[in-house]
Amino acid sequence: MATLREPVKIFIVQSLACFETPQQVVDAVREEFGIEIERQQVASYDPTKATCRGMSKKLKDLFVRTRKDFKSNIYDIPLANKAVRLNELQKKIGRAHV
């Protein structure tokens, strides 16, 4: 496993806290930092999984705080609103019948 610097660890923890899959995080780390890592290494930064061993309290707290913020701010995302989703679907159906 690659030894990761603090900014990479923070990036991984925040990505996982926002419900990204380990593979999505692997791809994002490769693109953002140019580092090749394994999904298993990424999974070790998710405190909700049994594979998380030896993760620092600082990173665990960051995960919890980021997940809480992500969940509470979901209404800032327009598609999280049911009316917006239904409106978008209605537009697509209307265009399909033209």
Side-chain angles (χ1 to χ4, degrees):
M1 278 195 229
T3 303
L4 303 175
R5 293 173 296 141
E6 193 70 13
V8 180
K9 291 177 185 179
I10 290 170
F11 182 85
I12 292 169
V13 168
Q14 289 178 323
S15 297
L16 291 172
C18 292
F19 297 100
E20 291 190 17
T21 66
Q23 185 59 53
Q24 289 171 319
V25 177
V26 165
D27 296 340
V29 167
R30 181 183 316 116
E31 192 172 305
E32 184 77 20
F33 299 97
I35 300 171
E36 291 292 329
I37 56 175
E38 300 288 326
R39 287 186 314 236
Q40 293 81 2
Q41 186 172 10
V42 169
S44 70
Y45 287 95
D46 186 347
T48 65
K49 306 289 186 223
T51 57
C52 179
R53 290 177 235 117
M55 188 170 159
S56 71
K57 180 168 175 21
K58 175 185 166 187
L59 290 176
K60 285 181 185 178
D61 291 344
L62 176 64
F63 181 93
V64 170
R65 190 171 57 251
T66 303
R67 172 130 326 158
K68 181 179 176 238
D69 290 345
F70 182 78
K71 283 181 163 182
S72 67
N73 292 331
I74 196 160
Y75 294 110
D76 293 342
I77 303 169
L79 282 177
N81 184 314
K82 191 182 293 187
V84 172
R85 288 194 311 269
L86 289 172
N87 191 27
E88 288 295 318
L89 286 171
Q90 186 63 44
K91 287 179 191 176
K92 288 180 182 183
I93 290 170
R95 285 189 294 249
H97 287 114
V98 173

